[in-house]
Amino acid sequence: MADFTTGPLNTVLVANRGEIARRVFATCRRLGYGTVAVFSDADSDALHAREADVAVRLPGSTSAETYLRSDLLVAAALAAGADAVHPGYGFLSEKEDFAQAVVDAGLRWLGPPPSAIAAMGSKVAAKKMMAAAGVPVLRELSAEEVGEADLPVLIKASAGGGGRGMRVVRSLAELPGQWEAAQAEAASAFGDGTVFCEQYIETGRHIEVQVLADAHGTVWAVGERECSIQRRHQKVVEEAPSPFVEARPELREKLFAAARDAAAVIGYVGAGTVEFLVAPDGSFAFLEMNTRLQVEHPVTELTTGLDLVAWQLRIAAGEALPASGEPGTCGSAIEVRLYAEDPAKDWQPASGTLHRFAVPGVSCEFEVVDTAVRTEPLLRLDSGVESGSVVGVYYDPMLAKVIAWAPRRAEAARVLASALAGSEIHGVVTNRDLLVNVLRHPAFLAGDTDTAFFSTYGLDVLAAPLASPETERISALAGALAVAAGHRAEAPVLGGLPSGWRNVPSQAQRRVLAAGSSEYEVRYRFGRDGLVASGYDGVGLVSATPADVVLDVRGLRRAFRVGRHDGAVVVDSPLGSVTFTLVPTFTDPADAVAAGSLLAPMPGSVVRLGVAGVGDVVEAGQPILWLEAMKMEHQVSAPVAGVLSALPVSVGSQVDVGTVLAVVEEAGAA
């Protein structure tokens, strides 16, 4: 095992951040290893930096300045006295140069040999190697080779994954522009702009096999995972086992055999994942091999009882896999990735302060539970955030992974959906409601999932809020009453009286709350007979505090939890969560913006312009500029045809949410 450094292994540096750093630290603590964190300036108060035994600052905030600097990471490990480096996932986890630098520094690399990473580091070269080994592959195409008969095609980054640098192309006319955009995104995310394309299978299933390989020649296939529900070619919902494969034992054996062959042919050592695209008829093709721990590894851990991080440590120390052979699986596990993003707005990432983060019913965090002896469902939380965490713009917008295990798949889905629906997540927009809708969808419950799930069943339907318009209306009343209770609690005199109470009928109290494009004017007063709220016939007040309101809604008693944060009022209930903004009675003229202003939908950096400058004539939908935020590019387009009358930003400009990026004066406007 020439690629590895031998010797004692006592302290582990995780060359990563957030949830995966915390996950590795959890196993290290259980096994008695010391822990070292690295953190950027943007992560100076992050959980992973606070939890490690030692934390080392990486000056700067962007990935390129910090987590992608192999020299800084190796220096940090040496300075902190670490003798091993775990790469986590993303960043430099699949860079053979980093792995080799770690080994050359006399440190243990908690991953596969650099030679194995190199073999799989280029998706183009990897496919050729797999084809030579007899593993089925899809035909690779260059931009020049693509013809009408090949469409649609998928452009992919050769050096990385996670949806970065990926583009679906359905017409030859859009190929050059999409190719250029994919190259730019791949270069930004991975430092390598090499891209290629292959035929795009619209309704395939994304099935992956977890492998473990020791340094003594043993390769295990440790169950498969179904990862077909994806957005922008990045996984959103994952589960083990796959319901499709579960019904086809012969397919499982073929997938496992192909995965073992793929690992063996490159001399793989450690934990890795071989990914396949499976067609409806059960035929399959190799997609790629991830030479690292996967984001979705918890579903394998909960169904097999294996701590995959522990086995990475043991294998790196030279331990052999048990002679008893591959473990069986037990029950079903489903994982969802909770993102700070708005699916209804083209998955637009969000940032800001996460004022409250609470998931009910959590059984464990980062733990591996022996489910073989368990009969009750459990809920695991792997999170990189807590209440008060700041979600920035420099890194992936994933907040947490929530994983449910149960003896039966339907139970796991129900437990997970219930926990998500009951979570209190205040301060940033998330994909929580979409996840609940997916988990409760009849097609998902039937195991009928593929990579076209969102387009098949309609993103507009799946991203719809859990809270109905009527729930919003009732929640607005609850929010108004909680705000009033808060004011009374702060009152210097007669704080015990309800807000607006009068001994005789008088003018109603008024408060306006906005949720999205809807505004709710709540008018109410308190009299001898209790609450009187205009338009809320049959609704009575049971109790109200600044944080809790209980209403009797036409004979049904409903409880609402209310949080207030920087002008926002968040009302949570079993009916769904609603975030309101308090509409001020008077608007400050200084807050007004010119008609036709294009505002930054998120904080980010201007990376490209689609116009020459002020005075350009633009068409509706024409790209004006591109923002880079959270490792993705986001196009900002002209809403109408007209003339560009202002362009206050340029390439390199850092902007906050709401910043005026450009002004388009509509054609024909006075």
Side-chain angles (χ1 to χ4, degrees), residues 202-203 441 443 448 450-459 461-462:
E202 296 274 9
T203 58
H441 197 280
D448 185 15
D450 56 39
T451 53
F453 191 87
F454 288 132
S455 59
T456 299
Y457 298 105
L459 181 58
V461 174
L462 294 169

Side-chain angles (χ1 to χ4, degrees), residues 157-447:
S158 180
R164 280 89 184 182
M166 282 193 180
R167 296 286 193 282
V168 176
V169 177
R170 302 184 186 279
S171 71
L172 294 180
E174 63 178 317
L175 182 62
Q178 294 284 39
W179 192 276
E180 179 183 348
Q183 287 178 317
E185 198 167 87
S188 174
F190 313 116
D192 183 346
T194 303
V195 298
F196 67 99
C197 68
E198 61 192 16
Q199 183 185 6
Y200 181 55
I201 307 299
E202 296 274 9
T203 58
R205 286 176 179 260
H206 190 121
I207 308 293
E208 60 189 31
V209 179
Q210 176 71 55
V211 296
L212 279 176
D214 63 24
H216 309 282
T218 301
V219 180
W220 278 3
V222 192
E224 85 283 344
R225 298 184 287 254
E226 170 102 33
C227 308
S228 297
I229 298 181
Q230 304 177 3
R231 62 99 163 100
R232 288 177 170 170
H233 312 289
Q234 189 170 30
K235 302 157 192 172
V236 178
V237 181
E238 302 110 339
E239 60 179 307
S242 160
F244 185 80
V245 176
E246 184 77 350
R248 297 164 176 81
E250 71 288 348
L251 173 60
R252 174 174 285 141
E253 287 307 313
K254 291 178 181 178
L255 288 168
F256 282 13
R260 294 189 197 99
D261 289 345
V265 75
I266 62 171
Y268 200 82
V269 178
T273 300
V274 185
E275 302 193 351
F276 300 95
L277 185 65
V278 180
D281 64 1
S283 61
F284 63 89
F286 170 85
L287 286 177
E288 61 185 353
M289 184 172 186
N290 295 127
T291 53
R292 54 171 168 80
L293 198 65
Q294 289 282 85
V295 179
E296 57 273 20
H297 75 274
V299 295
T300 296
E301 293 185 324
L302 291 179
T303 50
T304 63
L306 292 177
D307 184 330
L308 294 176
V309 174
W311 274 107
Q312 287 182 297
L313 290 161
R314 292 168 185 149
I315 289 170
E319 188 171 333
L321 291 167
S324 56
E326 298 166 341
T329 60
C330 179
S332 291
I334 304 173
E335 171 183 299
V336 295
R337 303 188 190 187
L338 185 66
Y339 285 103
E341 65 182 10
D342 189 345
K345 294 183 178 179
D346 195 28
W347 311 99
Q348 179 178 298
S351 60
T353 300
L354 189 63
H355 297 294
R356 179 159 175 76
F357 182 69
V359 180
V362 171
S363 310
C364 59
E365 296 187 31
F366 304 109
E367 290 183 35
V368 180
V369 178
D370 183 4
T371 54
V373 297
R374 190 179 180 94
T375 59
E376 296 296 318
L378 68 83
L379 193 71
R380 169 172 156 175
L381 178 67
D382 286 17
S383 172
V385 298
E386 63 180 352
S387 296
S389 292
V390 175
V391 181
V393 300
Y394 297 106
Y395 317 114
D396 188 270
M398 189 175 76
L399 303 177
K401 302 180 309 197
V402 190
I403 313 102
W405 175 91
R408 286 165 287 278
R409 181 175 181 270
E411 290 178 351
R414 184 167 57 249
V415 167
L416 186 52
S418 178
L420 290 167
S423 296
E424 297 179 16
I425 310 170
H426 301 178
V428 296
V429 177
T430 73
N431 65 337
R432 181 261 304 275
D433 288 9
L434 172 126
L435 297 174
V436 175
N437 287 331
V438 168
L439 292 168
R440 291 175 174 171
H441 197 280
F444 177 82
L445 295 174

Side-chain angles (χ1 to χ4, degrees), residues 60-101:
S61 291
T62 67
S63 298
E65 295 171 318
T66 56
Y67 300 108
L68 290 175
R69 288 280 302 275
S70 59
D71 56 334
L72 296 183
L73 295 167
V74 171
L78 295 173
D83 43 45
V85 173
H86 192 296
Y89 51 67
F91 294 129
L92 295 174
S93 62
E94 295 181 278
K95 296 294 185 182
E96 70 275 13
D97 291 346
F98 178 47
Q100 192 63 56

